[in-house]
Amino acid sequence: LYRVSKIYDTTVEELIEINGISDYTDIPAGTRLRVPGVTMPSSLIWPLPGNVSSGYGKRRGRFHWGIDIPAPGGTSIRAPADGLVTVSSNSMKGFSGYGRIVIIEHGNGISTLYAHNKSNEARAGSCIRAGEVLGRVGATGNASGNHLHFEIRKNGKPVNPL
């Protein structure tokens, strides 16, 4: 709560009150918090300069759940909006072939996913601001070259990022 209060310029007491928290010493990881004066943006900033090399949808008999943006290895990947980093891992069950992966929860059922990263700069459990570097472009997992695999999910279901 302290870290969130500093990021959003509020107080721990306000967070406790607005979220109806009875025991501030026992808040489970991943708990969604309402923050006074903060709303989810209607649009997201682009996480990486570049053009889409592979779009959302069916490709060669398989469904592609996101878009791919090629870039030189090590290029900064930026958070498209404020959020909570829920995953920062070298691999993740259910995401075979994604390599290093970061997932950010942005509120209102919106989450974003970044895969094939050379490195993950953001750590799970940390708050991130729009424009902050969350990782670096790479070719980990089943990747044919350096690129960002980017997904947007609404209530857990992939949607076309474009």
Side-chain angles (χ1 to χ4, degrees):
L1 290 178
Y2 176 77
R3 200 175 334 167
V4 172
S5 74
K6 292 301 173 199
I7 289 172
Y8 292 101
D9 194 30
T10 186
T11 66
V12 170
E13 292 76 19
E14 274 187 298
L15 291 171
I16 289 171
E17 183 177 331
I18 197 169
N19 289 284
I21 297 170
S22 57
D23 182 1
Y24 66 88
T25 65
D26 188 27
I27 302 170
T31 299
R32 293 178 192 260
L33 296 174
R34 290 190 315 253
V35 179
V38 174
T39 58
M40 179 62 188
S42 59
S43 63
L44 305 173
I45 62 173
W46 203 241
L48 177 72
N51 297 314
V52 174
S53 64
S54 183
Y56 178 88
K58 196 164 188 165
R59 299 279 181 266
R60 294 179 292 277
R62 295 182 61 198
F63 202 89
H64 191 230
W65 298 108
I67 59 173
D68 293 342
I69 306 168
T75 301
S76 296
I77 305 166
R78 300 190 180 276
D82 295 351
L84 173 69
V85 180
T86 57
V87 174
S88 180
S89 178
N90 289 336
S91 64
M92 188 171 146
K93 186 177 181 178
F95 294 90
S96 175
Y98 277 42
R100 286 192 186 91
I101 185 173
V102 170
I103 299 175
I104 301 173
E105 294 285 341
H106 300 284
N108 295 330
I110 303 291
S111 64
T112 51
L113 178 148
Y114 314 82
H116 304 304
N117 307 335
K118 176 179 184 177
S119 64
N120 295 342
E121 308 295 321
R123 299 290 166 243
S126 64
C127 295
I128 194 162
R129 301 287 265 187
E132 259 185 84
V133 175
L134 62 91
R136 306 277 174 190
V137 170
T140 61
N142 295 339
S144 58
N146 289 314
H147 72 278
L148 168 65
H149 173 80
F150 177 58
E151 295 182 13
I152 297 178
R153 293 174 181 245
K154 175 73 174 164
N155 298 321
K157 294 183 170 99
V159 296
N160 189 338
L162 301 178

